[in-house]
Amino acid sequence: MCSIPGLPTPGSEGNVNICMYKWPNISQNGIKEVYASCIVGPHYCWCQYANTEDLNIVSSLAKEAGQTQQDMMFPETLAPGSPCLAQFSSDNKWYRAQVIRRVDDSFRVLFIDYGNECDVNYKNVRSLPLSLLEKAPQAFLCSLNGFDESMGSWNDEVYDDFYNLLVDKPLKLTLFNMVDHSEAAVPQYAVEIECDGAIVNAAMQKYWKPVAKEHVSIEHPEKEAVLQDIQTESNMTQPNVCKGNVNTCMYRKPKFSKKEEVYASCIVQPHFFWCQYANPEELSEVSTLAQEAGQMQQDKMFPDTLGPGSPCLALFSSDKLWYRAQVISRIGHAFSVLFIDYGNESDVDVKNVRSLPQSLLEKAPQAFLCSLNGFDESMGSWNDEVYDDFYNLLVDKPLKLTMFNMDDHSEAAVPQYAYAVELECEGAVVNTLMEKYWKGLDTDHALEERLGSVTQDECQPLQGKFKS
């Protein structure tokens, strides 16, 4: 929860689990032999290594760790991106997972060795031993190389055929590069897949509808494909292979100058805060268009087209106004959404979402995720006093922001990246002011202490302040 001009939210204080899985750098390893473990569509499918030796070790360790007695406080330390063990209801076995979102007494989790998602009761999560945290995930997210979503779209027939072509088949996968997939809090790779001697990318060409050149826009074509979180029925004693359709609409990426005048719209801590452009004209125009579009009659079928990453309009309960949003997850009759022009998250009833007109889809988000530059989380940590002081220093103040680079921030559900920035507030550099709260590790022993403190420091609750 964060402070947002125009978006009042109830305040709360929470703990954040900052442990992270070690996602492999597989782009350097050429061709991989894999199986498709979770099949949604050509732009979203998970592949699992064909060599199951490491998977068997992980499964054995997970089973053993899952039998330990539950720490009743552990679920309170979990936040989006936190690793954990979760019990899969279909076979009652324990698997490594990553939290997507908590709603009431359940967690929405991603099984990182398979790619499936599932809702798990808080009683059925356990802490992850260091031996499991250090082992890389055995599945990774893929997208077919050669199909630029800003330049075309898929026919609806592609989803079933793509699924049937890949399911239960040995595949040869060639990696090209990492691609941006902001709705997933994990890396995604552009790949070429060979199945039964045929190149899947070539076989899928017949389903691809390129946009006519004279009508190409920077963003994706106005098309809302159905996203169905379908899990296939199977006798497999592990999270099932899944399939579905992907909503290909996306917001335009913001364009930044190296220096920007901003306000902090959502303040959690120095490594996680949202900034909003100080120029109110664009935001005012977006707000006006959102109110007009929100008054339109609801399409009863529209909520069924939404999945993680889908853009929409959502009604904010505190002021009954409509704002642009992006779906994080759906649980029951509600969506967890991110208000992309502010940085807040909220749960919204399915009745209170609307489709987004192209005029709003084409306008870039007015807020972006930031992290203070100069503080490497692998080399130190924050004193507890930083959270209140950092919030009070930034809230409702005009700020001058200098952007340095884009950092991986995979513990955030949406988006995947945060921008490393330097902030100036009332003539003072915020990064410098925050140095007194930073506890750096001794250089000579940094690696040793980093590894040795994972279960003592990083896995302890981070006393973050979620401000109202």
Side-chain angles (χ1 to χ4, degrees), residues 1-12 80 101 251 263-268 272-276 283 310 312-319 321-329 335-348 365-370 391 395-396 412-415 465-468:
M1 299 290 185
C2 315
S3 170
I4 293 186
L7 272 183
T9 58
S12 65
R101 176 69 178 169
Y251 288 109
Y263 284 89
S265 58
C266 178
I267 308 168
V268 179
F272 192 103
F273 60 99
W274 290 76
C275 285
Q276 189 181 65
L283 181 62
S310 296
C312 64
L313 283 172
L315 188 70
F316 189 62
S317 59
S318 295
D319 60 11
L321 294 176
W322 294 91
Y323 298 92
R324 295 195 299 176
Q326 188 169 27
V327 173
I328 297 171
S329 64
F335 289 101
S336 172
V337 303
L338 166 73
F339 292 104
I340 56 101
D341 296 309
Y342 299 88
N344 267 54
E345 295 180 13
S346 181
D347 294 333
V348 179
Q366 295 298 295
F368 49 96
L369 182 59
C370 298
Y391 174 83
V395 65
D396 297 331
V414 183
K465 302 295 183 181
F466 294 75
K467 287 294 191 178
S468 62

Side-chain angles (χ1 to χ4, degrees), residues 421-442:
V421 302
E422 180 180 271
L423 292 178
E424 182 181 334
C425 178
E426 297 177 340
V429 177
V430 174
N431 305 52
T432 303
L433 295 175
M434 292 299 106
E435 285 179 356
K436 63 182 178 181
Y437 300 109
W438 181 250
K439 298 182 295 184
L441 298 178
D442 291 337

